[in-house]
Amino acid sequence: MNNICFVTGNYNKLNEVKSLVKNFNIISYADLNFHGVIPETEDTLEGNSFLKSKFINDKFKIDCFSDDSGLFIESLGGEPGVNSARYASSNSDSEENMNLVLKKLENKTNRNASFETCICLIINNSINYFKGSVKGIITHKKFGKRGFGYDPIFIPKGYSKTFAEMTIDKKNKISHRSIAIKKLVSYLNKLN
Ligand code: IMP
């Protein structure tokens, strides 16, 4: 079975994809003995996921894929977007990021937002993108303790609870990331 590298240091993401892909041996960049940081300097999810995949593909000559996600809020012109992890400051945590979003939305009636994921796969020297999106609204305060990032302030469309009030299984069934991963997995499972 051929190796394919998932360019991530997040073992939850890695194991999720490993359990779904049947015809490739999924490895992480730690398995390649790479422990550096890959700069994410582009201003789109596509750009950043491509940067990460290209970096590992060039350095190790291995097929690979990378993901990049963010929260896009309509009335903030798409912020925090690609800067979701570092919205409040260069080393901000999720609480600070959520507080900033809630403050900026204080007087806004349009609270529409979406979580977006883009996966960039480089395989046999060809570049493929797989995207996932989930629409929803931003709450007026935080609800729930599960999940990570902006989960306590995001209610997906058609639901009455935030991602942070749902079980991880429930969130994983409907999330932006799972939609993109399903597209990637279906593509990979058709190869070979
Ligand atoms: P990453 O590209 O998956 O590392 O996501 C970048 C940032 O977007 C995270 O640090 C979070 O702030 C935010 N984010 C991405 N996906 C989610 C999610 O499913 N729930 C909450 N926040 C998320």
Side-chain angles (χ1 to χ4, degrees):
M1 218 169 6
N2 288 337
N3 282 344
I4 188 163
C5 176
F6 186 3
V7 186
T8 184
N10 180 326
Y11 281 88
N12 292 323
K13 289 185 189 176
L14 189 71
N15 289 332
E16 187 183 349
V17 178
K18 264 188 181 175
S19 70
L20 294 168
V21 175
K22 308 288 174 221
N23 50 351
F24 285 89
N25 182 36
I26 311 274
I27 61 170
S28 76
Y29 56 33
D31 295 320
L32 300 170
N33 251 331
F34 177 77
H35 300 283
V37 175
I38 306 170
E40 296 180 36
T41 49
E42 292 292 326
D43 58 6
T44 59
L45 300 179
E46 288 86 344
N48 280 330
S49 58
F50 171 73
L51 270 190
K52 290 188 272 188
S53 289
K54 180 91 172 69
F55 183 95
I56 293 296
N57 182 254
D58 282 350
K59 193 169 168 72
F60 296 99
K61 309 289 174 229
I62 184 173
D63 293 334
C64 61
F65 58 91
S66 313
D67 70 330
D68 201 27
S69 302
L71 174 67
F72 294 77
I73 301 174
E74 249 178 47
S75 61
L76 299 182
E79 286 183 8
V82 287
N83 293 319
S84 290
R86 306 159 292 275
Y87 190 41
S89 71
S90 55
N91 56 358
S92 54
D93 63 18
S94 298
E95 286 300 312
E96 293 167 316
N97 292 336
M98 283 190 287
N99 290 342
L100 180 59
V101 164
L102 293 177
K103 188 160 180 26
K104 287 197 177 196
L105 288 182
E106 248 166 24
N107 301 315
K108 308 270 192 206
T109 48
N110 176 0
R111 305 183 73 90
N112 294 336
S114 61
F115 271 120
E116 312 277 339
T117 293
C118 180
I119 295 175
C120 174
L121 167 74
I122 303 184
I123 191 158
N124 302 326
N125 296 317
S126 86
I127 301 163
N128 306 266
Y129 292 96
F130 304 91
K131 295 183 182 177
S133 168
V134 58
K135 289 192 164 76
I137 53 152
I138 302 297
T139 52
H140 286 85
K141 62 183 193 121
K142 299 165 201 158
F143 296 97
K145 297 271 175 235
R146 297 194 184 101
F148 71 101
Y150 299 88
D151 281 346
I153 59 169
F154 182 84
I155 298 182
K157 196 172 171 188
Y159 294 80
S160 52
K161 289 185 168 165
T162 66
F163 267 165
E165 293 175 291
M166 295 179 179
T167 61
I168 300 288
D169 277 357
K170 173 91 194 170
K171 179 191 164 189
N172 282 345
K173 284 207 174 82
I174 59 173
S175 80
H176 48 307
R177 189 171 300 98
S178 72
I179 294 168
I181 287 176
K182 274 182 204 138
K183 291 178 185 170
L184 168 79
V185 166
S186 144
Y187 183 87
L188 288 178
N189 281 338
K190 281 187 200 134
L191 296 179
N192 292 342

